[in-house]
Amino acid sequence: MATADGRPFVVLGVSGGIAAYKAVELCRLLVDAGCHVAPVLTEHATRFVGTLTFSALASEPAQTELYGADSVIPHTRLGQSADLVIIAPATAHLLARYAAGFADDLLTATLLATRAPVLVAPAMHTEMWEQPSVVDNLSLLRRRGVEVVEPEVGRLAGGDEGAGRLADPATIAEAALAILDRHQTADLEGRTVVISAGGTREPIDPVRFLTNRSSGKQGHALAFAAAERGATVVLVTSSSLPAPPGVRAVRVETAAQMHEAMLPEAERADAVIMAAAVADFRPASPAATKVKRERGTPQIVLEPTADILGDLVARRKVGQVIVGFAAETDQVLEHAAAKLARKGCDLLVVNDVSAPSVGFDHDTNAVHILAADGSSHAVALSSKRAVADRILDRVNDHLNHSEEKDSR
Ligand code: CTP
């Protein structure tokens, strides 16, 4: 919620690491960029830098206490007022408390009491940064939609060198302003976007199934981004990832269930995005009871599944934008252009899943967005969330363009 004078309200959370002193510079950069900055320090942060320093530079006095502050419930005021919560530096301990849903101090309670986007900038020694517990906590937070400014490689406390140095305050400020920009645009307000996500599971028997490597991360990131940009979002998903706040999730497992869920939802949609990796084939007669090894190797006969994207295109209502996805390993653009023409959708998002850090199960992606008019946009390797925004930019262009055509 912006302040009365229209400035975005930013909670700047500072946890207890040596890099806390750099958060002072970040605070100044955000104030200079026109933000109302409310600093919240953990008790450990105050051992590295004083509240007075932040209070002198920020838009309101720095706070540390869950109890005893002016307001009885400071965390809800901060959480509800925030347009963005930043944690810089985010220590391993803070990430663990946030991931586990603790609310044992003002900063973690504020994180639980907010619906605003959250940006974390971790900083710690390399050994800690590479710990599986830290890696898992960060990946869990990412899956929940938290954005991350990765630490840099460089000099660390005590003269050590390695990965884990807090990103430059200017880089963190830039990421924060980009999120605020995106959030305040709400360019999809009034639109309904239906998104499919995940790899479908086609049963062989009650305990076995055929599936693919899709994690659903890109589809869920699209749902996050579309909701944040103001759209009403329906997410038809076969992934077990959490649904973004405010998004209606329809949980499905098979291609047939996804087909059944997508068609009626699409009738009300302005845009339909088929990010799911739908099985092309399924076992024709799944066994009703578990197939036993002693009966010999089973012969599994496959049959094609319904082409959901094809049916959506066949039923497309006037002005509706339909987006298909393609995962390719060779002649990526040629195959994608042919698929776009064959499928008849408006946009086709293609990724080269043989490239490092791209596609299945990664937190990052790199895609080309091809349009039916022959234009193409390349999105370089970035977070799936950032890729989602670039896809939605194209969807929005198409929606606006078809409205312009209608009004002529
Ligand atoms: N799709 C669908 N229904 C299916 C299969 C795929 O709606 N039964 C959608 C996917 O969600 C995706 C696009 O179609 O948006 C992918 O097209 P598809 O023909 O499945 O791609 P590939 O299987 O990769 O095709 P090919 O084997 O020709 O590469």
Side-chain angles (χ1 to χ4, degrees):
M1 205 198 325
T3 53
D5 57 3
R7 283 178 300 151
F9 192 110
V10 176
V11 172
L12 175 58
V14 184
S15 61
I18 185 66
Y21 77 93
K22 292 195 195 167
V24 174
E25 170 73 357
L26 176 60
C27 178
R28 197 186 57 78
L29 287 170
L30 292 167
V31 170
D32 287 354
C35 301
H36 176 104
V37 180
V40 175
L41 278 69
T42 64
E43 196 207 323
H44 288 166
T46 61
R47 306 208 176 201
F48 293 92
V49 57
T51 47
L52 196 60
T53 315
F54 283 99
S55 296
L57 289 167
S59 317
E60 55 179 84
Q63 296 190 60
T64 56
E65 296 288 322
L66 194 49
Y67 305 104
D70 292 350
S71 148
V72 185
I73 37 175
H75 60 294
T76 52
R77 181 193 74 93
L78 288 163
Q80 288 166 358
S81 307
D83 293 299
L84 173 67
V85 180
I86 306 174
I87 313 172
T91 59
H93 186 222
L94 192 283
L95 292 173
R97 289 194 295 140
Y98 182 23
F102 279 30
D104 54 351
D105 66 1
L106 182 57
L107 180 52
T108 48
T110 302
L111 285 164
L112 281 196
T114 195
R115 291 196 174 137
V118 176
L119 175 69
V120 301
M124 63 200 76
H125 253 70
T126 312
E127 294 83 348
M128 298 173 88
W129 174 240
E130 290 174 354
Q131 271 300 325
S133 58
V134 175
V135 172
D136 283 354
N137 284 334
L138 200 62
S139 140
L140 177 67
L141 292 173
R142 273 195 164 111
R143 287 204 297 277
R144 292 183 188 153
V146 170
E147 300 209 38
V148 181
V149 181
E150 298 260 343
E152 294 167 356
V153 176
R155 227 180 62 191
L156 303 167
D160 292 338
E161 286 272 331
R165 191 171 73 164
L166 183 71
D168 193 52
T171 310
I172 304 171
E174 199 181 309
L177 295 173
I179 296 172
L180 286 169
D181 230 30
R182 201 172 62 210
H183 205 54
Q184 285 178 345
T185 340
D187 55 355
L188 292 173
E189 203 160 320
R191 307 284 194 191
T192 298
V193 181
V194 176
I195 299 165
S196 71
T200 61
R201 288 187 289 277
E202 310 300 330
I204 296 171
D205 69 10
V207 298
R208 303 177 179 94
F209 53 78
L210 293 179
T211 190
N212 55 64
R213 292 183 185 279
S214 169
S215 60
K217 285 179 182 173
Q218 186 63 73
H220 280 240
L222 275 158
F224 255 107
E228 212 175 271
R229 288 165 71 151
T232 300
V233 182
V234 182
L235 177 64
V236 178
T237 180
S238 55
S239 162
S240 55
L241 292 172
V247 165
R248 180 158 65 83
V250 182
R251 302 278 174 182
V252 298
E253 213 171 292
T254 63
Q257 289 167 354
M258 189 169 273
H259 187 241
E260 202 186 320
M262 283 301 287
L263 294 192
E265 294 295 349
E267 279 173 23
R268 294 181 287 275
D270 298 295
V272 186
I273 307 180
M274 279 299 297
V278 187
D280 287 317
F281 305 101
R282 66 173 172 218
S285 325
T289 54
K290 189 179 172 196
V291 175
K292 299 304 257 182
R293 186 187 175 98
E294 55 268 27
R295 298 253 181 89
T297 310
Q299 301 295 311
I300 300 170
V301 177
L302 299 178
E303 66 180 13
T305 56
D307 179 358
I308 307 173
L309 186 56
D311 284 353
L312 291 168
V313 169
R315 291 160 193 231
R316 173 185 5 217
K317 55 176 198 174
V318 178
Q320 188 177 60
V321 174
I322 300 184
V323 184
F325 267 65
E328 303 289 349
T329 55
D330 64 320
Q331 298 173 51
V332 173
L333 289 178
E334 291 85 334
H335 283 150
K339 197 170 282 179
L340 175 63
R342 200 167 64 239
K343 298 273 177 185
C345 45
D346 302 283
L347 296 166
L348 189 93
V349 180
V350 61
N351 53 17
D352 176 356
V353 286
S354 65
S357 308
V358 171
F360 299 132
D361 209 28
H362 292 291
D363 291 320
T364 48
N365 210 354
V367 304
H368 282 88
I369 308 168
L370 275 56
D373 65 6
S375 66
S376 158
H377 281 82
V379 184
L381 190 69
S382 38
S383 68
K384 285 196 166 166
R385 178 52 213 267
V387 170
D389 273 310
R390 297 296 72 75
I391 296 169
L392 292 174
D393 289 346
R394 299 273 75 74
V395 168
N396 201 28
D397 285 350
H398 269 67
L399 286 169
N400 294 337
H401 186 68
S402 55
E403 267 173 11
E404 267 167 36
K405 264 201 326 210
D406 280 357
S407 63
R408 258 184 240 145

